[in-house]
Structures are given as structure tokens and as C-alpha cells.
Amino acid sequence: MTSEHLQQYTSPAIQAEESIDENSSHIECQRKLRKNSAYAHRKRERYQTDPAYAQRIREHQRKRYQKDSAYAQRQRERLRELRKDPSYVQRQRERQRERYQTDPAYAQRKRERQRELRKDPVYAQRERERQREHRKDPAYAQRQRERQRELRKDPAYAQRQRERKKQCRQSVKSAKTQVINH
């Protein structure tokens, strides 16, 4: 005979309540850890150096985003709030610029995506309207002028510009020779 306490039945409601309590304490512990800068640094470093770990995390997040609508909503709201923070936006732009310059596969995917988006008439219309609004905005024009001034000071930018002009001259020259030969 087995003892009575091993056969004791726990209702699903009680089991769910216990798991929620355990889960909430686990979540609280995770929050505390994330606030610890050393822990966050180690985790970020592992994410950047261990591709298998990063892949697992991304897959888990993707599945959770697709299956858990509350989680997806929280993530969208969190991103919406983050995009209002100018320092966050600046960091993101710098990361993307660096990745675009150092990772050719990323740059290629991004260019392909832009080509596909430009084919979409709704996207193209939205872009035209956005550009029209930007042209009217004096603050935008001022930022663009400042950005151009900063870029001109960068020797790498100047080198890229020279190379682009050289390529353009070569393509025009080759087009002229093709027209003459035909």
C-alpha cells in the first residue's frame, strides 16, 4: 500500500495558483538581476559572442511573440516608448550604421528589402508624403545641413564620395563609348 500523502490529489486550480506564485517570484528575481549592471553586461557579452545562444534567444522570443498576444502587445508598447527617447534612437542609428558598414550580408538584405518596399504603391505614397513634410520642416533642413557638415569632416566619407564620383564618370564614359560604337 502506498502512503496517503503520495496519493493526495491537488486540483488544477491550486496547481495553477502555485505555478503563478512560483513564476512571479522567478520574474521578480529576473527583474532584480537585469537591474544588476554586471549581470546585464555578462548577458549582453554572451549574446554578442555566442551565436548559438543568441540564436536560441531570438527563436524563443519570436515564438513567444507569435503565440502570446499579451507579450506581443507589451513589446510593441515598450518599443513605442523607447522610440520617444532621443538617446535610444541615436544609439540604434549608430548600431545600424556600424552593422551596415561591417556586415555585407546585412547590408545586402537591407537593400533587397528596400527594393521590395519601393515596389509597394502604398509604401511609395507614404514615403512621398513623408518627404514632402520633411521639406517643409525648417528643423529637419537644419539637421540635414549639420549632418552634411559633420560628414564632410570625416575622411572615410570623403573617400567614399570620391569613389562614387569616379564610378559615375566611368559609367557615363562607358555609356558614351557604347553609343558611339553602335
Side-chain angles (χ1 to χ4, degrees), residues 47-71:
Y47 187 85
Q48 291 171 348
T49 57
D50 184 359
Y53 174 75
Q55 183 65 27
R56 279 194 314 271
I57 296 292
R58 281 194 300 271
E59 285 175 10
H60 174 73
Q61 286 175 337
R62 190 178 306 121
K63 287 177 186 173
R64 186 170 179 201
Y65 192 87
Q66 290 169 350
K67 291 181 180 179
D68 186 356
S69 59
Y71 173 77

Side-chain angles (χ1 to χ4, degrees), residues 59-121:
E59 285 175 10
H60 174 73
Q61 286 175 337
R62 190 178 306 121
K63 287 177 186 173
R64 186 170 179 201
Y65 192 87
Q66 290 169 350
K67 291 181 180 179
D68 186 356
S69 59
Y71 173 77
Q73 184 63 29
R74 284 194 309 273
Q75 290 298 94
R76 283 191 292 269
E77 288 172 8
R78 182 174 166 267
L79 271 177
R80 215 172 282 131
E81 289 301 314
L82 278 172
R83 286 189 195 115
K84 294 176 184 176
D85 179 16
S87 62
Y88 171 80
V89 171
Q90 182 63 30
R91 285 193 311 271
Q92 285 300 102
R93 282 188 187 138
E94 288 170 6
R95 279 191 205 119
Q96 284 181 337
R97 191 176 305 124
E98 183 180 326
R99 186 167 179 202
Y100 191 85
Q101 292 171 353
T102 57
D103 185 357
Y106 173 77
Q108 182 62 32
R109 284 192 310 269
K110 197 156 181 156
R111 283 191 295 267
E112 287 294 324
R113 184 165 185 268
Q114 279 303 115
R115 275 189 213 114
E116 290 300 316
L117 280 173
R118 283 190 206 110
K119 292 176 185 175
D120 179 18

Side-chain angles (χ1 to χ4, degrees), residues 134-143 145:
H134 277 318
R135 278 187 235 120
K136 295 176 186 176
D137 184 13
Y140 176 78
Q142 180 62 31
R143 285 193 309 271
R145 283 191 294 274

Side-chain angles (χ1 to χ4, degrees), residues 143-177:
R143 285 193 309 271
Q144 289 300 96
R145 283 191 294 274
E146 289 172 7
R147 184 170 177 262
Q148 285 298 320
R149 274 189 222 115
E150 290 298 317
L151 279 173
R152 284 188 202 113
K153 294 175 185 175
D154 182 17
Y157 175 77
Q159 179 64 31
R160 286 193 306 270
Q161 288 299 93
R162 282 193 292 275
E163 289 172 5
R164 280 194 198 113
K165 286 180 182 179
K166 185 178 177 182
Q167 286 176 347
C168 184
R169 283 192 300 267
Q170 287 174 347
S171 66
V172 168
K173 192 175 184 180
S174 68
K176 284 181 180 178
T177 56

Side-chain angles (χ1 to χ4, degrees), residues 123-136 140:
Y123 175 82
Q125 179 63 30
R126 242 188 356 251
E127 282 299 299
R128 280 193 296 274
E129 289 170 5
R130 196 170 65 86
Q131 288 297 326
R132 207 173 294 128
E133 290 300 315
H134 277 318
R135 278 187 235 120
K136 295 176 186 176
Y140 176 78

